[in-house]
Amino acid sequence: MVTFVDGRPDKKGYRKYKTKTASRHDDYGAMREVVRRRYVRVLRDNLPLPDLILIDGGKGQISAAKEVIEDELGLDIPVAGLAKDDKHQTALLLYGEPPEVVPLKRTGEAFYLLQRIQDEVHRFAITFHRQRRGAKSLTSSLDGIPGVGAKRKNQLLRHFGSVKKIRAAGVDELKEAGLPQSVAETVEQYFREQDKAKEEKTSGTGE
């Protein structure tokens, strides 16, 4: 979870969560748990409430967050969602009851800010999962990817036949293997950032 203040990252407000009650593949349950833990603590410690909560996801994730914010905690905080397109780019802002697309110019400052926020969320989440993977000395290239457990890992390997082919797959190909849109996007970005990190390391050593 990341926080932005006046359009800039406020890293002292960042938090990492390991879900405790939601099952591994229950995205909505995980959303409810994380939002609940965050804002129960905010209320308990009398911390300032945000002007807006942005959810990285669509209507289902928005609904799960609002169940906690409004129904359980009785808070009056706007909740919106950010959805990405097949190219893993920020595409839509969803808001309202029921959530509807908010028209934004893709060249406007508001849209650029939303892009920066969503990219920072993914960067922070992937970094966290990489750290967990390293700490556990995991060996598989598929371990540590958010949303990819043993079942989905085996599913991908059966479909593609090798990790090399999974690394090269795009979002549409990953969806054909049975992954939900959000998980397919995460897998693609995970390997893309790995490749970028390798390139930067190679460039930095002069190789």
Side-chain angles (χ1 to χ4, degrees):
M1 183 176 291
V2 306
T3 58
F4 273 62
V5 175
D6 294 331
R8 296 182 178 182
D10 180 27
K11 294 190 176 182
K12 67 178 182 294
Y14 285 23
R15 292 294 182 273
K16 302 172 183 177
Y17 293 92
K18 297 179 184 178
T19 54
K20 299 177 180 179
T21 60
S23 63
R24 189 180 184 93
H25 301 299
D26 183 3
D27 292 342
Y28 299 153
M31 177 66 69
R32 284 188 287 268
E33 178 185 337
V34 169
V35 171
R36 184 181 299 113
R37 288 167 60 185
R38 171 73 164 196
Y39 288 99
V40 164
R41 180 178 179 274
V42 166
L43 292 173
R44 183 193 67 206
D45 296 346
N46 198 30
L47 299 174
L49 294 171
D51 297 315
L52 173 68
I53 297 173
L54 278 175
I55 300 299
D56 186 21
K59 295 180 180 180
Q61 286 83 2
I62 294 172
S63 177
K66 291 179 73 172
E67 284 179 26
V68 177
I69 294 297
E70 298 176 0
D71 300 340
E72 292 186 24
L73 302 179
L75 295 173
D76 184 18
I77 305 173
V79 179
L82 288 174
K84 291 196 172 187
D85 58 24
D86 289 342
K87 296 181 180 179
H88 204 65
Q89 301 296 318
T90 301
L92 301 173
L93 174 66
L94 300 171
Y95 180 71
E97 187 59 50
E100 296 182 353
V101 175
V102 178
L104 290 174
K105 291 184 179 180
R106 298 182 71 89
T107 56
E109 287 298 321
F111 189 82
Y112 287 143
L113 174 59
L114 295 176
Q115 280 185 317
R116 291 197 297 272
I117 293 173
Q118 194 166 40
D119 289 345
E120 178 66 359
V121 168
H122 280 260
R123 182 202 65 77
F124 187 61
I126 289 173
T127 298
F128 175 43
H129 284 279
R130 283 177 179 168
Q131 290 171 344
R132 290 183 62 189
R133 183 186 63 177
K136 294 179 181 179
S137 300
L138 300 176
T139 57
S140 172
S141 297
L142 298 178
D143 287 332
I145 303 178
V148 178
K151 183 177 179 180
R152 283 178 175 164
K153 180 167 60 176
N154 292 332
Q155 179 181 340
L156 287 169
L157 289 170
R158 283 197 303 269
H159 182 86
F160 289 100
S162 70
V163 173
K164 182 178 180 180
K165 290 182 179 179
I166 297 171
R167 292 181 70 98
V171 171
D172 289 340
E173 293 169 295
L174 292 166
K175 287 170 63 179
E176 289 175 2
L179 295 186
Q181 175 81 24
S182 60
V183 177
E185 291 173 352
T186 298
V187 171
E188 185 197 42
Q189 182 172 357
Y190 180 86
F191 285 124
R192 187 167 68 240
E193 291 195 2
Q194 273 196 345
D195 293 338
K196 182 179 178 181
K198 288 180 180 179
E199 290 175 2
E200 291 175 348
K201 184 177 180 180
T202 300
S203 175
T205 56
E207 297 179 356

